[in-house]
Amino acid sequence: MTETLADTVGTRPPLILVKDAPTPEPAPTDPVVEAVDRADNPLADWLSVPDAPVLPAWARSAASIKANAAAFGRLTWWHTQYHGFRVPKYLFKTVLLAARGFFRATMGLWPTLSAQDHTATVKALRAQVKARPEDVDLATRLQMAHFDRTRTRRWRFGAAAAGVAAAAVGIALADPALQAGIAGAVVTPLAYLGRGKETHLLDQGAPPLRVDMSAQQLNDALRAAGLLKSGRANEDEKDAPRVSCSMGPVRDGRGWAVIFDLPRGGGKTASDVLAKREVIAQELGVDEIQVIMSRVRASKGGNAGRVSMWVADDDPYLGKPNPSPFATAERFSIWDPIPFGQDARGNRIEVPVMWQSMFFGGLPRRGKTFTQRLMTAAGLLDAYVRHYVADGKGGADWMPMRAVAHRLVMGAEDDAIEALKAMLAELLVEMERRFAILRELPTSICPEGKLTPDIVQRYNLPVIFVTIDELQEYFTAMEREDREQVINDLCRIARRGPAAGFVSNFASQRPDADSVPTKLREIITLRYSTQVVDRASSDMVLGKGKAAQGADASVLSEDHVGTGVLVTGPASYVTVRADYLDGTGFATLCQKGRTLRQATGQLTGDAAGDVTAAADASGVKLPPILSDALEVMRHSPRMFTTDLLAGLVNLDEDVYGDFNAERLAAELEAAGVKRTSKQVKISGTNAAGYQRRDIEAAVPAEILLAHG
């Protein structure tokens, strides 16, 4: 089953595609003809409501049947192990119960075998003898009557004793297998007779479930959260309003699923339930991260008071991360939905990005950049995607993009800021050029005035993927005028660019009004947030009021690395554990992307002339100090030694944290760098430094001749 959550912002609604969701949804209401509501129609009540599902909830999809069959198998195996270890205990308990049963049988039969239950005649005579003990004739008559009464029972008692003795001798001489069968046939009824009403032969074992939800627990939780009214004072809760469940609670994968309607007359809606997620979780005895709630819309047969809720047995976002399919893929089309991750139930989440803009936010070291790179990675495997990349931090995360990126800006120093401004200006010119081309194309080629896969290749207009990480670094380093200009440029690209084939992919650690202005964040269509400190910060990333609707990234913990809340519209969100693609895998993808572009003639811009990337592609290993120094000086023809050291430390603090000017000079000299001058002049100031041309001169000649 595929669930689609659509946004109303943008040229085309963004989608979250949920693959193989096991939870069945109620069928939508069928259209009703006008004659149904007539008073003389005896079938009006039946025809004016949707048909009830024929199959139970767990049997309405192949995935659900498979999941329940697997769960039944695990339950059977658990019980087999549980009772298997207790077989010696059960045997000993059976013998004790059989002994008790034999005692009870003997005590029950003894009065009959011993003729203690005399007839009425014998009892009457005995009473007369007690009254007249001197009457010998009466005593004789009593003795004769007693003899006649017990004659048959003596024969029965003797026959029974002889039968038991003979059976004992026969069993002792029989085959062991027959002895076991006879013993079982004798012991079993005796053990059954020996058990009491509260005595059970087998232990009542049950698998340890962390959550055992029932309809009563659900009502109690909602009532405690103030969503249901209580019953009358000093009376039972029988008359209190309750929710009506259209499905469940039923087991669904690793948790419980339920779809319920709030009672009418209480003034509460589905939105009120979503806002009480933490309280409901507390009442159910779970963490709020285990509770997944959403409204059921009319298209799914819902209404303003219908809620779908799933409660996981444990934290669904912990454990070994799922590897990204891109790690082994050779090609990908950016026009297809991008494999992004899994939700709490294990359903695959795919996100279309064409015609969209994206924003990623969250605390440091929570997987924000790794997740943002998944989107860019999709474009690496499509040769007709042109990448513009800027990294305000200037670290190693985006360095592999030098093999592919048409433009690559690293860091937030003055030269990098100028390079960023030039990159945005280039993008705006390209955007207007594309709109001019699209306007002139006939409707047979460009029916909607937008880029199409055919236009991309026919007119060499590749999709433009604009990736900017650590936006706050640029905005905090800029002067006010530059900052306003860059913000306006980014807004134009995010607002108008999608129709021209621009996909914006922005990220920031501090999504406040100063770091990332509201007017930029509010026009972004897709938003993703890893853990943040509070609900206000979550709303800054995901949109105002989203936390109250249930899209709250502040409930995530520091253990939820790579997990975040993905929002695609006013009421569309899902918590996703993003696929994992490490730095090595990303670097491999960049090399694959370079090969694809070389084969199709799409390797352009900075990547075409990058000597370090060319060396990597040719299998030539440059000394790390050489390639790193060239990366730091990417935007500068010359640089002071102090600035070069600072850039290297920012690039890799573990390697360059202890470097000083003398060690730097020694390492570069060992790598083949010959300085034409130890002094450089920048903005009228002379100081110790390096020329980029001196460092490039240390690159093997065959690389320079082949690439530039």
Side-chain angles (χ1 to χ4, degrees), residues 422-624:
M423 185 183 83
L424 296 179
E426 179 182 337
L427 286 169
L428 291 174
V429 171
E430 175 65 14
M431 183 174 67
E432 297 302 332
R433 184 182 76 88
R434 292 186 174 212
F435 280 129
I437 295 174
L438 295 175
R439 284 195 300 266
E440 298 299 326
L441 294 178
T443 56
S444 60
I445 298 177
C446 186
E448 299 181 6
K450 297 186 298 185
L451 204 65
T452 66
D454 182 60
I455 294 174
V456 165
Q457 296 194 31
R458 180 183 296 188
Y459 296 93
N460 192 25
L461 298 176
V463 174
I464 301 293
F465 217 102
V466 185
T467 301
I468 304 180
D469 194 9
E470 308 295 355
L471 268 172
Q472 78 284 347
E473 296 294 332
Y474 290 115
F475 291 148
T476 55
M478 290 178 182
E479 299 293 337
R480 181 176 179 180
E481 292 183 0
D482 288 342
R483 183 173 181 271
E484 291 299 323
Q485 181 61 48
V486 168
I487 291 172
N488 291 333
D489 290 347
L490 291 174
C491 288
R492 290 179 61 189
I493 292 171
R495 183 170 52 248
R496 299 185 59 224
F502 283 51
V503 179
S504 300
N505 184 17
F506 304 150
S508 174
Q509 290 182 5
R510 293 166 45 199
D512 52 39
D514 294 331
S515 300
V516 184
T518 304
K519 70 177 182 178
L520 174 60
R521 282 184 284 126
E522 291 303 317
I523 61 175
I524 302 295
T525 52
L526 300 177
R527 305 184 185 191
Y528 180 86
S529 177
T530 57
Q531 184 197 13
V532 291
V533 295
D534 52 30
R535 292 166 68 96
S537 298
S538 179
D539 281 349
M540 286 181 183
V541 181
L542 302 178
K544 185 177 181 181
K546 290 294 186 234
Q549 297 177 10
D552 183 10
S554 67
V555 303
L556 300 172
S557 71
E558 58 273 10
D559 296 324
H560 295 129
V561 178
T563 298
V565 180
L566 176 65
V567 170
T568 62
S572 303
Y573 65 89
V574 61
T575 302
V576 184
R577 191 179 189 197
D579 293 336
Y580 180 67
L581 181 66
D582 61 13
T584 302
F586 185 70
T588 302
L589 280 181
C590 289
Q591 290 301 323
K592 287 183 180 180
R594 184 180 181 89
T595 302
L596 289 174
R597 284 158 178 78
Q598 286 175 331
T600 55
Q602 292 296 318
L603 188 65
T604 60
D606 294 348
D610 191 290
V611 294
T612 303
D616 292 340
S618 302
V620 177
K621 183 65 176 177
L622 294 180

Side-chain angles (χ1 to χ4, degrees), residues 90-124:
Y90 295 157
L91 292 175
F92 181 73
K93 193 174 182 179
T94 299
V95 173
L96 291 180
L97 292 178
R100 184 195 292 177
F102 179 78
F103 176 77
R104 288 179 176 178
T106 302
M107 294 300 295
L109 292 175
W110 181 253
T112 301
L113 294 175
S114 60
Q116 292 182 4
D117 53 337
H118 295 300
T119 62
T121 302
V122 175
K123 290 181 180 180

Side-chain angles (χ1 to χ4, degrees), residues 40-55:
D40 59 347
N41 188 345
L43 299 179
D45 291 340
W46 293 94
L47 298 178
S48 60
V49 296
D51 294 334
V54 176
L55 296 175

Side-chain angles (χ1 to χ4, degrees), residues 345-468:
R345 305 190 199 189
N347 303 320
R348 290 296 305 169
I349 304 296
E350 296 183 346
V351 183
V353 297
M354 285 303 297
W355 325 120
Q356 309 305 325
S357 52
M358 298 170 285
F359 183 80
F360 292 78
L363 293 173
R365 292 171 294 281
R366 296 295 184 271
K368 171 181 58 63
T369 298
F370 276 62
T371 308
Q372 185 192 19
R373 286 195 315 198
L374 282 176
M375 299 305 191
T376 302
L380 291 173
L381 296 179
D382 189 334
Y384 287 92
V385 174
R386 183 174 294 170
H387 291 274
Y388 288 73
V389 180
D391 178 16
K393 185 172 65 175
D397 292 334
W398 295 97
M399 277 182 57
M401 286 297 295
R402 63 192 175 191
V404 180
H406 181 82
R407 293 286 178 259
L408 179 61
V409 178
M410 301 295 290
E413 292 76 20
D414 292 343
D415 54 349
I417 291 176
E418 293 301 319
L420 174 65
K421 291 162 59 178
M423 185 183 83
L424 296 179
E426 179 182 337
L427 286 169
L428 291 174
V429 171
E430 175 65 14
M431 183 174 67
E432 297 302 332
R433 184 182 76 88
R434 292 186 174 212
F435 280 129
I437 295 174
L438 295 175
R439 284 195 300 266
E440 298 299 326
L441 294 178
T443 56
S444 60
I445 298 177
C446 186
E448 299 181 6
K450 297 186 298 185
L451 204 65
T452 66
D454 182 60
I455 294 174
V456 165
Q457 296 194 31
R458 180 183 296 188
Y459 296 93
N460 192 25
L461 298 176
V463 174
I464 301 293
F465 217 102
V466 185
T467 301
I468 304 180

Side-chain angles (χ1 to χ4, degrees), residues 158-387:
V164 170
V169 173
I171 292 174
L173 298 177
D175 183 80
L178 181 60
Q179 290 178 345
I182 295 175
V186 173
V187 170
T188 299
L190 290 177
Y192 180 82
L193 181 63
R195 71 178 183 87
K197 292 182 178 181
E198 302 300 329
T199 303
H200 300 280
L201 176 61
L202 302 181
D203 292 347
Q204 302 303 303
L209 296 176
R210 298 190 182 184
V211 181
D212 187 10
M213 192 168 68
S214 66
Q216 182 61 42
Q217 287 176 303
L218 176 63
N219 280 281
D220 292 343
L222 294 175
R223 188 168 292 112
L227 299 169
L228 294 178
K229 294 181 179 179
S230 301
R232 297 176 183 175
N234 302 322
E235 294 185 10
D236 294 335
E237 295 291 339
K238 295 181 180 180
D239 61 337
R242 296 174 176 271
V243 299
S244 56
C245 297
S246 58
M247 187 196 79
V250 296
R251 286 294 295 174
D252 180 6
R254 298 175 298 171
W256 291 88
V258 61
I259 298 177
F260 61 88
D261 290 322
L262 292 172
R264 298 182 182 180
K268 299 297 183 180
T269 66
S271 298
D272 296 320
V273 178
L274 302 184
K276 294 287 187 177
R277 175 186 176 189
E278 185 175 0
V279 179
I280 293 173
Q282 188 273 331
E283 292 296 327
L284 293 176
V286 298
D287 193 291
E288 62 265 34
I289 198 68
Q290 297 172 243
V291 180
I292 311 298
M293 295 191 297
S294 63
R295 284 189 58 180
V296 181
R297 292 291 180 173
S299 60
K300 300 293 184 180
N303 54 67
R306 178 165 291 185
V307 179
S308 173
M309 182 167 72
W310 185 75
V311 182
D313 294 334
D314 50 22
D315 193 325
Y317 304 111
L318 298 180
K320 187 177 180 180
N322 301 302
S324 171
F326 294 131
T328 56
E330 296 298 328
R331 292 178 181 271
F332 183 78
S333 174
I334 199 64
W335 299 86
D336 295 333
I338 295 178
F340 189 67
Q342 293 186 357
D343 67 4
R345 305 190 199 189
N347 303 320
R348 290 296 305 169
I349 304 296
E350 296 183 346
V351 183
V353 297
M354 285 303 297
W355 325 120
Q356 309 305 325
S357 52
M358 298 170 285
F359 183 80
F360 292 78
L363 293 173
R365 292 171 294 281
R366 296 295 184 271
K368 171 181 58 63
T369 298
F370 276 62
T371 308
Q372 185 192 19
R373 286 195 315 198
L374 282 176
M375 299 305 191
T376 302
L380 291 173
L381 296 179
D382 189 334
Y384 287 92
V385 174
R386 183 174 294 170
H387 291 274

